[in-house]
Amino acid sequence: MGVLNVTPDSFSDGGRFRADDPASAVEAGLALREEGAVFVDVGGESSRPGAQGVSEAEELRRVLPVVAGLADAGVRVSIDTVKPAVAREAVAAGACLVNDIRGLASDTLRAVCAEAGVPAVVMHMQGEPPTMQRAPRYRDVVAEVERWLLESADRALQDGVPSVLIDPGIGFGKTVEHNVALLAATDRLASHGLPLLVGASRKGTIGRLGEAGGVEPAPLERLPGSLAAHLYAVERGAAMLRVHDVAAHRQALAVLRALAEREGADEDRTGDDEPARDQRAAGSGGAGDG
Ligand code: HH2
């Protein structure tokens, strides 16, 4: 999933596209597809720590022409919003996935997805963007996030949302230690029969972990760390990654896949060889024969 923010204030790419020039954003979305994105996630409201919300009218003004332009060009568009009206309009304009950082806690948003027959991403967040990073606290972050995701997914499915992906919400009301614990628990989070989405791209935790000589890499310099986190997650069962740098991720995933396939083929060959070796050993009278 490629990220396309039409906002002045997103943490890593704010101001890249303006609402009064949707054609540039559409062009960038088409480029993300060319680079290998299966979904382009269009957002019109930043959720970075400390962000203040925008009005429904402003968010619609930012995202609708971009969603429509991309959908008309055959791109699978995901709408990154917490507002039911924005989701409804975006789906009417062609979006085919709703990405909600509040995990479909809103009855109205669940109803929008159910009525339109559109799947959704259920993401975990503790608190709200303006204050969520002040003092995030958990007794057992993995168990709490896991339970919350499963309950939220269940409620959405029972209310008629056709299918859901779950997402631990890296950076949303979490310290570096919380984020590391969640990434390290990818296999557990991916073990519930619900596709797992992971989005660590350029986030603060990558910067904190990548600190060198007392200096944290700036958001645009966090690709190596983002790749490490994401490849780790894919290796352990993540089904989708939400990333800014699609081409780099595609390349890294292609290499990972080639290696995994080769490892699988080697294991198959070794597996086939075992009986033959056993038979040879048995036919020759056993290992101590010669
Ligand atoms: N992260 C961001 C926004 N939306 N959605 C999901 N499902 N998972 C995430 O991890 C996630 C998300 C934050 O990243 P970005 O969109 O680049 O920044 P901003 O919120 O500042 O626009």
Side-chain angles (χ1 to χ4, degrees):
M1 172 185 279
V3 179
L4 187 63
N5 288 318
V6 191
T7 57
D9 56 345
S10 285
F11 79 95
S12 80
D13 56 356
R16 197 170 153 218
F17 304 111
R18 290 179 10 197
D20 58 8
D21 179 21
S24 305
V26 169
E27 210 174 294
L30 293 172
L32 290 176
R33 178 178 60 178
E34 284 306 300
E35 290 173 22
V38 176
F39 285 92
V40 173
D41 192 36
V42 178
E45 177 178 52
S46 173
S47 53
R48 74 181 198 288
Q52 302 299 323
V54 295
S55 71
E56 189 177 290
E58 175 59 16
E59 194 176 331
L60 281 167
R61 190 175 81 89
R62 293 176 184 178
V63 298
L64 268 194
V66 180
V67 169
L70 288 173
D72 288 350
V75 174
R76 285 201 195 96
V77 177
S78 156
I79 178 70
D80 186 351
T81 188
V82 298
K83 296 189 181 74
V86 173
R88 189 183 294 113
E89 295 288 324
V91 167
C96 59
L97 179 66
V98 171
N99 176 22
D100 178 20
I101 62 166
R102 290 200 182 134
L104 295 192
S106 150
D107 297 350
T108 321
L109 188 48
R110 289 199 301 283
V112 167
C113 296
E115 277 159 26
V118 170
V121 177
V122 166
M123 194 201 81
H124 177 273
M125 168 166 64
Q126 185 182 82
E128 293 289 324
T131 54
M132 66 189 176
Q133 288 308 106
R134 280 196 195 149
R137 208 165 273 139
Y138 301 84
R139 258 194 296 275
D140 178 341
V141 65
V142 174
E144 286 171 48
V145 169
E146 178 183 50
R147 191 172 53 244
W148 189 92
L149 286 173
L150 294 180
E151 284 171 7
S152 303
D154 221 41
R155 181 178 51 189
L157 293 169
Q158 283 195 6
D159 283 358
V161 180
S163 61
V164 295
L165 294 99
I166 55 172
D167 178 345
I170 299 301
F172 286 86
K174 284 144 194 135
T175 63
V176 173
E177 291 71 27
H178 295 143
N179 292 320
V180 169
L182 287 165
L183 287 167
T186 298
D187 49 359
R188 174 168 162 185
L189 297 173
S191 71
H192 299 289
L194 294 166
L196 183 75
L197 172 60
V198 172
S201 188
R202 301 180 180 172
K203 286 191 176 165
T205 288
I206 304 296
R208 230 59 48 74
L209 295 174
E211 181 190 312
V215 181
E216 283 179 21
L220 292 179
E221 272 133 40
R222 295 176 188 162
L223 175 58
S226 305
L227 283 168
H230 286 154
L231 292 190
Y232 177 96
V234 165
E235 276 278 86
R236 285 157 185 80
M240 198 185 294
L241 303 171
R242 182 179 181 279
V243 309
H244 299 85
D245 304 285
V246 172
H249 278 82
R250 183 199 171 121
Q251 185 185 110
L253 288 170
V255 173
L256 189 71
R257 187 174 306 124
L259 293 169
E261 279 170 9
R262 175 63 207 219
E263 188 180 302
D266 286 347
E267 272 163 15
D268 285 351
R269 254 196 303 280
T270 315
D272 288 349
D273 281 345
E274 287 303 332
R277 263 206 304 273
D278 289 345
Q279 273 165 17
R280 272 200 305 277
S284 66
D289 208 28

